[in-house]
Amino acid sequence: MKKMLFIVNPRSGKGQIKSSLLEILDIFHKAGYESTVHITQDVLDAKETVKAKAAEYDSIACSGGDGTLNETVSGLLEAGVSVPLCYIPAGSTNDFASSLKIPKNMKKAASLIADGRQFQCDVGSFNERYFNYVAAFGAFTEVSYATPQQMKNVLGYQAYIIEGMKKLTSIKPATMIVEHDGERIEGEFLYGMISNSTSVGGFKKLVGKSVQMDDGVFEVTLIRKPKSTLELQDILTSIIAADMSSEALFTFKASQLTIYSPAEVPWVLDGEYGGAPREVQVKVKEKALAIFSPQD
C-alpha cells in the first residue's frame, strides 16, 4: 500500500472532522493508502511536520481551514517534495476549495483521491513565504485572523461581516508604489489583493474575470483612497455590480510584482497574519502544487 501523511486540525470549523475521521481513513484505506494521522498542536505545527516528513510519504492529506492548507502547502514547497495533496476543507469560508470545486462534504472530498485526478495549481511566493489564493492589505484584511475561532465556528461567514463592520471607522490608507511588467502605480490605497481564486472571503465580485488557477498569473485588485463621499459611493457601486471601470479601481494580471511603502503595512496571507513589510516581492510559482480535484 502507498503511504499517506494525514494532517488534521481539530479546531477548524465546528470540529466536524471528529465525527468523520474513521470513515475518511476507511476511504483512504480502500483507495490503497496506509494513513498516518497527525493532529496539529499549535500554529505552524502543520508546516513543520510536513516539511520534516513529506519525503517519507507518497501523498499528503490535510483537513482544516485555509490557514491549515497554507501551512501544509508551505511545508511541501519548503521541503522541495513533489507529492499530491488531498484537501478536506473544514474552515469557515474555504475559498480555495470552492474555486477548485472540491466538495464541502468531507467524505466526498476524501473520495477524490480514489478518482486520482490531479490539478496542477499555481502558488504564490510572498517574500520568504507562500500563499495559495490571496495576499491582501488594507480594509477588513485583519478581520480574518482577528475574528475569534469560537465566533467563526458559531456564526461562520457572518462572523467576518460583524468584525469587519467594527473596523470601518479605523481604516487608514496605505501609501504605496506598485511595479509590474514595466508599469508603475503610485497612490494611497484602502485595499489591495493579489489572488488566485474565484472568491475571496466569500466575495466573488472583487476578483478579476476569467480566473484560471494554473495560468502562471495572479489577479491584482487595488482600491485607491476615495477623494470624496461621492467617489466612495462610486467605488462601492462598482464592486457590487462587478464593474471595475471606476477610476479608483485598478485591476490587472501579473506573474510578479514589487510593492514599496514608506511605512510598515500589515498583510494577510490566506486568512492569516503575514507580517508588515515595507517592501514586498510577489512571484507566481506556476503549477507548483498537485492537488486532487474534480477538474484536471
Side-chain angles (χ1 to χ4, degrees):
M1 296 186 74
K2 291 180 284 188
K3 296 174 63 178
M4 170 188 285
L5 174 61
F6 186 13
I7 303 294
V8 177
N9 182 348
R11 295 166 294 280
S12 291
K14 297 180 180 179
Q16 54 186 322
I17 185 65
K18 298 173 185 177
S19 61
S20 303
L21 184 57
L22 290 180
E23 291 174 280
I24 290 171
L25 290 175
D26 185 55
I27 290 170
F28 289 159
H29 183 81
K30 289 176 179 175
Y33 286 90
E34 179 183 351
S35 303
T36 299
V37 179
H38 178 85
I39 306 297
T40 60
Q41 302 298 310
D42 206 345
V43 177
L44 297 182
D45 184 21
K47 174 185 172 181
E48 296 304 324
T49 300
V50 172
K51 185 176 178 180
K53 298 183 178 181
E56 304 172 17
Y57 294 87
D58 301 296
S59 183
I60 304 293
C62 77
S63 177
D66 293 328
T68 304
L69 177 64
N70 177 284
E71 286 194 31
T72 302
V73 173
S74 295
L76 276 171
L77 294 182
E78 290 188 18
V81 176
S82 180
V83 296
L85 174 68
C86 180
Y87 179 44
I88 301 173
S92 302
T93 54
N94 301 311
D95 289 304
F96 186 79
S98 297
S99 298
L100 287 176
K101 312 299 182 186
I102 296 174
K104 293 182 179 179
N105 180 283
M106 289 186 159
K107 287 174 281 188
K108 289 182 178 180
S111 296
L112 292 175
I113 200 168
D115 296 335
R117 283 192 290 179
Q118 298 174 26
F119 182 80
Q120 298 293 138
C121 188
D122 297 342
V123 177
S125 68
F126 179 95
N127 291 345
E128 301 300 319
R129 297 181 59 177
Y130 293 102
F131 65 98
N132 298 315
Y133 76 98
V134 66
F137 70 86
F140 304 118
T141 51
E142 77 276 19
V143 171
S144 57
Y145 63 82
T147 304
Q149 183 63 51
Q150 184 177 5
M151 190 174 182
K152 294 179 187 177
N153 292 346
V154 174
L155 299 177
Y157 176 60
Q158 289 181 334
Y160 293 100
I161 302 300
I162 292 171
E163 285 296 305
M165 294 302 292
K166 295 179 183 178
K167 308 293 182 181
L168 273 175
T169 57
S170 60
I171 294 174
K172 295 181 179 179
T175 301
M176 288 185 163
I177 298 173
V178 180
E179 297 179 345
H180 73 98
D181 302 311
E183 294 189 27
R184 180 184 177 103
I185 302 172
E186 297 184 49
E188 292 183 291
F189 299 98
L190 285 182
Y191 178 80
M193 72 175 182
I194 305 150
S195 64
N196 190 38
S197 176
T198 58
S199 69
V200 173
F203 291 100
K204 295 187 176 182
K205 295 182 178 180
L206 269 179
V207 299
K209 297 180 180 179
S210 65
V211 175
Q212 297 184 41
M213 300 176 70
D214 62 346
D215 58 0
V217 293
F218 281 3
E219 285 66 37
V220 182
T221 300
L222 299 171
I223 302 178
R224 192 189 293 274
K225 175 187 175 183
K227 299 175 183 177
S228 64
T229 303
L230 185 63
E231 188 173 52
L232 176 59
Q233 292 176 345
D234 178 54
I235 294 171
L236 295 174
T237 300
S238 296
I239 293 173
I240 292 172
D243 175 14
M244 295 302 186
S245 60
S246 169
E247 292 184 359
L249 298 174
F250 298 88
T251 59
F252 55 89
K253 295 176 183 284
S255 60
Q256 61 181 26
L257 63 158
T258 304
I259 301 175
Y260 306 95
S261 177
E264 295 182 345
V265 177
W267 284 76
V268 169
L269 306 180
D270 294 339
E272 302 295 329
Y273 181 62
R278 294 184 180 182
E279 180 176 337
V280 172
Q281 297 279 347
V282 174
K283 296 181 181 180
V284 177
K285 296 179 70 67
E286 188 173 1
K287 298 180 180 179
L289 173 67
I291 186 166
F292 290 102
S293 167
Q295 59 189 50
D296 50 24

